[in-house]
Amino acid sequence: MLEKMFNPDSVAVIGASRKEGKVGRAVLDNLMQNSKLKIIPINPKSDEILGLPCYHNILDVPESIKVDLAIIVVPAKLVPGSIDECGQAGVKNIIIISAGFKEAGIEGARLERECIALCEKYGIKLIGPNCLGIIDTASGLNASFAPNMAYKGNIAMMSQSGAICSVTLDWAERIGVGFSKFISLGNKAVLSENDFLQLFENDSSTAVIAAYLEGVKEGPEFIKIAERVSHSKPIVVVKSGRTAVGSKAVSSHTGTLAGSDAAYNAAFKQSGVLRADSIEEMLDYSRAFSVCPLPKGRNIAIITNAGGLGILAADACYYAGLTIASFEEKTVERLREKLPPAANFYDPVDVLGDASPDLYEYALDVVQDDANVDGILLLVSPQSTTDVPGIAEKIATTIKGSKKPILCNFAGGTRIALGEDILSKHGIPNYSSAERAVASMDALCTYYKIKNHKRGDPEEMPADREYARSFIESASKNKRRVHGLESMDILKAYDIPVVDARVAKDLHEAVEAAEDMGYPVVMKILSPDISHKSDVGGIRLNLKHADEVERAYNSMMSDVRHYMPDAIITGVQLQKMMSGGKEVIIGMDRDPQFGPLLMFGLGGTYVEFLKDVSFAVAPVTREEAKHMVSSIKTYPLIAGVRGEAASDIDSIIQTLLKVSQLVTDFPEILEFEINPLMVMPEGQGCVAMDIRFTLNLNE
Amino acid sequence: MLEKMFNPDSVAVIGASRKEGKVGRAVLDNLMQNSKLKIIPINPKSDEILGLPCYHNILDVPESIKVDLAIIVVPAKLVPGSIDECGQAGVKNIIIISAGFKEAGIEGARLERECIALCEKYGIKLIGPNCLGIIDTASGLNASFAPNMAYKGNIAMMSQSGAICSVTLDWAERIGVGFSKFISLGNKAVLSENDFLQLFENDSSTAVIAAYLEGVKEGPEFIKIAERVSHSKPIVVVKSGRTAVGSKAVSSHTGTLAGSDAAYNAAFKQSGVLRADSIEEMLDYSRAFSVCPLPKGRNIAIITNAGGLGILAADACYYAGLTIASFEEKTVERLREKLPPAANFYDPVDVLGDASPDLYEYALDVVQDDANVDGILLLVSPQSTTDVPGIAEKIATTIKGSKKPILCNFAGGTRIALGEDILSKHGIPNYSSAERAVASMDALCTYYKIKNHKRGDPEEMPADREYARSFIESASKNKRRVHGLESMDILKAYDIPVVDARVAKDLHEAVEAAEDMGYPVVMKILSPDISHKSDVGGIRLNLKHADEVERAYNSMMSDVRHYMPDAIITGVQLQKMMSGGKEVIIGMDRDPQFGPLLMFGLGGTYVEFLKDVSFAVAPVTREEAKHMVSSIKTYPLIAGVRGEAASDIDSIIQTLLKVSQLVTDFPEILEFEINPLMVMPEGQGCVAMDIRFTLNLNE
């Protein structure tokens, strides 16, 4: 797939130009860096450009020349015509560099849809529009108007922003970092991140995948593909527009609908994508992946020639959840043998300010032999007698031959640059601070776990789907979007225990129901118009006999009428009062990108003020459901603390899986919440006390 | 103060050497960079070094030459002798570069104490030992063995690690950053950060103070001085050894006793010190302070030539709590006048990839005129047609003349370097990422508030100090370290309301007391040996009549005997059962560096699992006490939510101030806790339900 896009024998440039400063010229210049490539300029006004025979139209190119790839740089309004001609000429791969499409407004969006339709008609693979182009260092193709060419390397990079491409290429040129493929995604009209993830997966020259994304095009598909790819290659993503403010900038930028950040976090976690917080971080991580073996654990050794740097690195390790390794005895002995007596032989190892390159190498050799060490941070400060380039030269060979990751922080400026250059010549990154080196070590450790983790398939939970389907159909017929208490049977269809409850249309029925169920009871208002019952006096707890039921009924009706005079009240519901349980919430919100986003949290104030909730995209696996429950900060409150009884965690997990199944089965459910789910002590299960959900009646 | 230390006319080097690679040579070389300085080498074996007349001993220097400063580089064991001779010779300023003191073990520590005593005897000011030396660019003094000299600038830097000095100087040389003074603190035997803060305060060449510290020497003094200095100059500190792991590295490094991180955070906050998380961050902030006016608010404008960069910057602003400014109408109109139609005229302003230097300058001029804008982030990506140096040149003048802070993020590498160099020539920093520029903007905003904030003095709270004093004296006489319930009267002495309670020595007295107080009551075990009463069954709640008191008494005695058979039980305490209140905790731990560290949090699980507590060093001001209460995450639970009644916050603040007074008055109190303090609804006060405190009987 896409073989001829990235390794074409012949490339046509539609809108080629000889004029300096024109994109049509820059693209030609870049393509011409590869002398083996057949380049075909297309321009209605020229017969020759830069010594190349130029055709007036792609249809004029002789049949003997098979055009593998066409790059279009003509103004937006001319693009559909060009695609049509490419289609007729049998061109199957197109890059549209021109802007003026979806990102530019309504007319642009219409043009873009026209392009998509033409690509479908002719079976054309399309990159862009509104992009910088692509680079493939393995085939030697620079099909872009980027001012810098990339060095060869094993990092594949894709970016939804052309400017971020420029930034990255410019940075890479200065630091000496190489790429396998470099793709400017543009508006992703046809080909998107999902296609390129699969391309990179099978690309032998790619070892690391880096991406700057402002959104993903097909969320569920992205999760599936990324989950698979992340087992063979690390995927590092900067997803911008994380916030309300940022998102505003996104929509004015590329017209991508930015998904909620919680959904991205959940989706990335579930699919093994490493999320970087900035372009710098993305590149830092990618460089570590590009050269380092993976650490088998989180035990880190620090080697330094300065105590201060060692402390800063140890602090950073602590915050990242990395452990300062405890050395084997023999390591300490071997260090003591050769290091000066004032040195520190324990982690962090301080070889002292005047340590020679040989001593650094010795310490590194000894420490990497230690079975308790999974990864090493090597710190160098440029003190008066420090032989910076000497150290760089000595350790470079060791680092490249090591079976453990060794990340360097040569800290400083002028004198450090000499060492940095030597490391760079050996392809070894230098991190400008201990903190950055530690963050990358953390990424290596995290990816080791991702690579070796089997997600497995979500279980199919049994359910009475017939009932649920007919419920939704009937609601659709009756145009009932919002559902509450009165629809708890949909939970029963999914085998979720619900509280024993009766509906009563009037006071008489209410008392009868209460007497029948046994006291104490809870009374709740039944109204399609009321979402927050407690705000309008629509909930009464702990009613102990008929008198109390009567008093509660009357005052509830008067309160509710007072607050919401126009609400339709269909009656009340009486529930058996539960005690001894803890309230949790299970919710779902349908994310525009990823679909059903499950939420879990403790009830009441915990959710409201501490925002102590966890998310996952449904369908979730049992392991993911477990993690949702255990990852909230207030987990100890339900897991049992100080001899307090543990809640029935298993029943929560089971309910999460059932809700996951329900909202996956029925995309018509837009929002869904069991609030509260009352969880009883271990072994005693849980019951749903109240629900609320909204249907999309247009589906 | 210290005038002749930093601007001496003559400097002696004790241990001077002509041998390359020796510290005694490096120091001479550095001093000789200043041709106006009289340099006097001291070495028992030479009569001349590098063309300078050399004396065998400082005492041999003719009286006509007044030695302002002596730099000692001889081995540690010879240092006390050298100081003694300096003292006799009338030298008042000494820098000891030599290592082998406190940081090297017991013998070194003894030597260091000897040096301190000699300095006291002769009234000598001492920097070091175990340091790199000092640099003063205003006077042209380089009294160090640092391999790099500093450029002139307005940042004063001090560092407890010599290697961090080397790192910083090396970095500064590459980036072109200047310093006013540069001080390697070493072991801080005599002069410490507190002395230099005061020096910098009055140093006209210093505008910004940066420091790397592993600890402070005199905590309370530090707070007082830093609080004053921070009103005239920003103080940016990296304090390492934040964590258990890091602290271990500290003690093996310089022997400094690292204070708890919570105490440092509190002390820095109270004294207006900006804490940086890394050396990079410290330098980033310092450079911003060194050139920028302060923003009057947190409304930030972003100007970019790339949407992607703008989004990343907006995201970073959101996380830092900075607001994306809403432009005045005239700003949008003026931008629309000259920017191309596809540009974005709202914040973030996108001038588009091909924006000329003139257009950048125009946008910058327009945006900085907007009254709703407090600071500006200027982002540049190196796209194909971007004139990077041209933009740098154009905006440099605008930036230097602006009344608002403008921070640049030219993002990239090779091509960006051309712009970076031009900015650097104008003394303007370039931040390598939007995130770093945003972090520095945040620091500017924070410091604007610090500068304009008057801390005021903590109020003197009235108290019966006589009672407290006699209580402590009697406890001291009786060797009673740990105190609980039975000592609640100490709270009364400080006018802190305590629960109505009676002590009962046996069951009979217990029932009598309960009948007398009125039900319901709470019964608590009284024992000097039991800290956690509830863990051993030592608390019974809600006893409603005599029978229940009797049953509770008997089962409590049996439980407590079971769990702690050897505990001395002096009886029980009966308290009136309180209801309708909320439990909070007020505690104090005496920090080795800063003294009494107050803690506040909600009771129970909130403190235990969420670690949701706040700290401040006592004595606290009323404003600080208020902040302690309002800054916990669960504050809404006591401030009143969803119509729930608010708790009596004022009474908590009042109690905090009283506890602050108590623990300040009596340094003998090592630990102190009111747990719980029951806070009633607004206007109804609070009562202490239980206390526990520990005395230091040696004081």
Side-chain angles (χ1 to χ4, degrees), chain A residues 517-569:
Chain A
M517 296 167 80
Y519 297 98
V521 296
V522 177
M523 189 191 294
K524 296 180 178 177
I525 196 81
L526 276 183
S527 163
D529 301 325
I530 298 172
S531 314
H532 297 288
K533 301 182 194 73
S534 58
D535 287 357
V536 297
I539 298 186
R540 302 294 151 113
L541 305 171
N542 207 20
L543 308 176
K544 294 197 204 78
H545 40 75
D547 275 6
E548 288 192 8
V549 171
E550 182 173 344
R551 223 174 312 143
Y553 184 92
N554 290 329
S555 78
M556 178 187 285
M557 289 304 153
S558 123
D559 282 359
V560 171
R561 284 270 164 257
H562 170 76
Y563 285 111
M564 297 190 71
D566 300 328
I568 295 168
I569 295 170

Side-chain angles (χ1 to χ4, degrees), chain B residues 336-499:
Chain B
R336 209 186 290 273
E337 265 170 41
K338 295 226 181 151
L339 264 53
N344 190 25
F345 313 111
Y346 299 88
D347 199 3
V349 176
D350 188 345
V351 295
L352 300 186
D354 56 358
S356 65
D358 285 335
L359 209 62
Y360 251 107
E361 192 192 22
Y362 177 77
L364 193 54
D365 280 340
V366 170
V367 167
Q368 72 170 332
D369 278 353
D370 192 306
N372 298 342
V373 171
D374 299 313
I376 301 171
L377 295 168
L378 194 136
L379 318 177
V380 179
S381 69
Q383 299 180 51
S384 58
T385 53
T386 310
D387 175 5
V388 178
I391 294 169
E393 199 64 74
K394 270 282 179 196
I395 61 169
T397 326
T398 313
I399 291 177
K400 287 170 82 176
S402 179
K403 291 201 175 89
K404 295 178 181 174
I406 302 170
L407 297 183
C408 296
N409 163 221
F410 282 54
T414 308
R415 291 178 60 215
I416 277 310
L418 307 170
E420 231 168 17
D421 288 347
I422 290 167
L423 292 178
S424 172
K425 259 175 223 147
H426 287 89
I428 298 168
N430 182 43
Y431 293 91
S432 64
S433 70
E435 291 78 15
R436 288 174 71 169
V438 166
S440 290
M441 186 62 85
D442 181 30
L444 291 172
C445 293
T446 304
Y447 179 64
Y448 176 78
K449 283 186 74 174
I450 290 170
K451 195 179 168 75
N452 294 293
H453 175 256
K454 275 268 154 279
R455 187 185 178 219
D457 290 321
E459 300 158 43
E460 175 92 17
M461 303 300 283
D464 180 354
R465 286 176 182 77
E466 283 315 303
Y467 173 83
R469 167 137 339 270
S470 70
F471 175 93
I472 289 171
E473 275 166 9
S474 127
S476 183
K477 221 173 280 164
N478 301 321
K479 307 234 176 282
R480 287 200 51 198
R481 284 185 66 248
V482 182
H483 299 261
L485 266 183
E486 70 291 348
S487 309
M488 299 268 268
D489 281 352
I490 203 162
L491 296 183
K492 288 188 188 157
Y494 274 75
D495 198 25
I496 296 168
V498 302
V499 68

Side-chain angles (χ1 to χ4, degrees), chain A residues 170 245 280 315 324 415 432, chain B residues 170 241 245 280 315 324 415 432:
Chain A
D170 199 44
V245 190
E280 277 190 333
D315 279 358
I324 302 300
R415 292 178 58 217
S432 64
Chain B
D170 198 44
V245 189
E280 276 190 335
D315 279 358
I324 301 301
R415 291 178 60 215
S432 64

